[in-house]
Amino acid sequence: MKSFSLLCALFLGTTMLHAQTADEGTEFRSFKGSNGKVIKAALIDKTETKATLLLENKRRAEVPLESLSAEDQEYIKNWSKEKALFLQKCMNLTVRELLELRGYESFPFELKANSIIMDAKMNGKDAKFVIDTGAGTSLLHTKSAARCELEIGPMDQEVSGVSGSVPAAWCKVPTLSIGESVFRDRKILGTDLDANMPKGGAIAMHDGLFGADLLTQLDTVISYKENRIFFRPDRSDRSQVDGEAAKSTDAGVEGEQKEKDEHLNFRIFKTRDGKSFRANIISKTATVLTVKLINGKDQQVPVANLSDEDQKYSDSWTEAGDIFLRYCGALKIEELLVLRKYNSFEYERRGNHIFVDGTLNHNKVTYMVDTGAASSLLDVTAAKENGCEIGPMDKKVYGIGGEAPAGETVMKKVTLGKVELTNRRTLATDMRGRDGGRDPGYIGLFGADFMRELDAVITYKENRIFMIQR
């Protein structure tokens, strides 16, 4: 077998490729031939039998895998061109840009007392919802249901919260929409969210809880750092962008159905006349975009016809975004965020609730992730069992069912993977009382206070939570 250095020499002497400049982020390493010879190079492409290396003299060489050491062959096997390009070209893209380029529709959200508040429309009327991963099913405020002219059934149902249970009724909802995502003819439970709540409480001020049932359906992503929530409209009951509203003569969209995940390769654009279409920018001038539509056709779209937000997007369209779409679009959200140094945790789904394993004071525990909880909260019994001292039960916590007594405690050390929090004050209450004293299977709620601090990202499609400690 020819030596590694000889292979390179033969290649460069006969079929030498053009010189190439190393990009910032190009990973140079020492490759070793099967005969022990070493050369410094960066892997830039591969096939099943060959590796393309960028040498330090800026030349490229194709090298048979069999000529390399076993360690180098394993490195090449696990190497991803998509990840390498992302690191070299796309690292400056924000989470918002990465998801919008993948076809998600995004919305800024408002934080009130750590609660995520979203604008929506219920039966065509304006409404505000709390985004609540801790709510297994969505829930309406009966006063809001009446305002939106919904049909409300008898109060013969029951919903439970941290403070107890309250009567509820089924409400018939003709439409519930956020942006292009539309839910039709749903039955959602309603209760009086004002009951026993303090004046100005986060829940009482809004029209309902947008719960995990709908968040799951829309493959939702929540990003605390950017104060944005991302939905896939094509997962809703009727996506505006794939129906009549997609048939924009300006954009030439025909609205035909494709494989659902293909939509992730196209961004949603909105026009000034309220229509929507999916496309990717190919090129642009100051006044016209050339885009590729889902049906494969190229179309010119006047920039002036687009919404203000999409005009800003077209102005800021970059080569990095184009490279991401063309070469990195197959990367999972997990891969994109881990490459950005986020800690990644797979969570367990019980029903629609999210649970993640961690520790409390060095003891292994499970937390329920709850964006609807403004502050993290422990079960008083579990807190004591795991080394937390509980102060007088002279505080109060509020939720569905009203108020419950609570005591202040200190979580000396909390960990999730490599993420570590120390000496965090929180409250503890009896979370077992309504279940006859049974252990709920988790120690408490990992709330929005911790998730904001850790720039958390929650993804429903991949069942993962991402956190980064600055």
Side-chain angles (χ1 to χ4, degrees), residues 115-118 120 122 127-142 144-145 159-162 166 173 176 178 183 186-194 197 201-215 229 231 353 370-374 398-401 460:
S115 293
I116 297 174
I117 311 300
M118 284 290 302
M122 186 161 60
K128 288 184 178 292
F129 280 79
V130 176
I131 301 296
D132 191 352
T133 62
T137 58
S138 299
L139 187 66
L140 303 181
H141 187 13
T142 45
S144 300
V159 293
S160 300
V162 69
V166 291
V173 185
L176 175 61
I178 296 182
F183 299 94
R186 291 292 179 112
K187 288 178 66 178
I188 300 176
L189 282 171
T191 191
D192 184 1
L193 293 177
D194 282 339
M197 293 294 290
I203 295 179
M205 293 172 64
H206 299 98
D207 300 302
L209 306 180
F210 199 88
D213 52 341
L214 303 182
L215 296 173
I229 191 165
F231 297 138
H353 295 295
D370 188 355
T371 62
Y398 296 88
I400 303 299
Y460 274 84

Side-chain angles (χ1 to χ4, degrees), residues 358-367 383 385-388 410-417 419-423 443:
T359 69
L360 173 59
N361 300 337
H362 304 287
N363 299 318
K364 292 182 179 180
V365 297
T366 300
Y367 298 94
E385 291 173 348
N386 287 277
C388 293
V410 175
M411 305 168 78
K412 294 179 182 178
K413 186 175 181 179
V414 177
T415 65
L416 272 75
V419 171
E420 180 179 307
L421 303 173
T422 56
N423 298 318
I443 193 173

Side-chain angles (χ1 to χ4, degrees), residues 41-52:
L43 179 61
I44 58 174
D45 207 351
K46 68 178 181 179
T47 67
E48 291 185 3
T49 60
K50 293 181 179 181
T52 302

Side-chain angles (χ1 to χ4, degrees), residues 77-226:
K77 177 183 176 182
N78 295 324
W79 179 83
S80 163
K81 184 176 182 178
E82 291 83 2
K83 291 181 181 179
L85 278 170
F86 180 83
L87 288 170
Q88 294 164 19
K89 299 287 189 179
C90 307
M91 277 293 285
N92 290 330
L93 294 174
T94 64
V95 172
R96 175 185 177 181
E97 289 170 320
L98 293 172
L99 291 174
E100 287 185 350
L101 286 167
R102 295 281 298 272
Y104 280 81
E105 184 179 18
S106 81
F107 306 88
F109 57 69
E110 180 183 5
L111 280 169
K112 283 189 176 179
N114 283 336
S115 293
I116 297 174
I117 311 300
M118 284 290 302
D119 291 327
K121 285 189 177 293
M122 186 161 60
N123 202 21
K125 294 179 171 56
D126 291 339
K128 288 184 178 292
F129 280 79
V130 176
I131 301 296
D132 191 352
T133 62
T137 58
S138 299
L139 187 66
L140 303 181
H141 187 13
T142 45
K143 292 180 181 177
S144 300
R147 175 181 64 81
C148 293
E149 301 176 358
L150 305 185
E151 182 181 331
I152 304 173
M155 301 292 285
D156 56 1
Q157 305 295 314
E158 186 177 83
V159 293
S160 300
V162 69
S163 305
S165 300
V166 291
W170 287 110
C171 302
K172 292 184 178 180
V173 185
T175 59
L176 175 61
S177 62
I178 296 182
E180 301 295 338
S181 299
V182 182
F183 299 94
R184 290 188 174 277
D185 300 320
R186 291 292 179 112
K187 288 178 66 178
I188 300 176
L189 282 171
T191 191
D192 184 1
L193 293 177
D194 282 339
N196 303 315
M197 293 294 290
K199 186 176 181 181
I203 295 179
M205 293 172 64
H206 299 98
D207 300 302
L209 306 180
F210 199 88
D213 52 341
L214 303 182
L215 296 173
T216 299
Q217 183 175 335
L218 294 177
D219 286 350
T220 301
V221 179
I222 300 169
S223 174
Y224 275 89
K225 181 180 180 181
E226 295 178 290

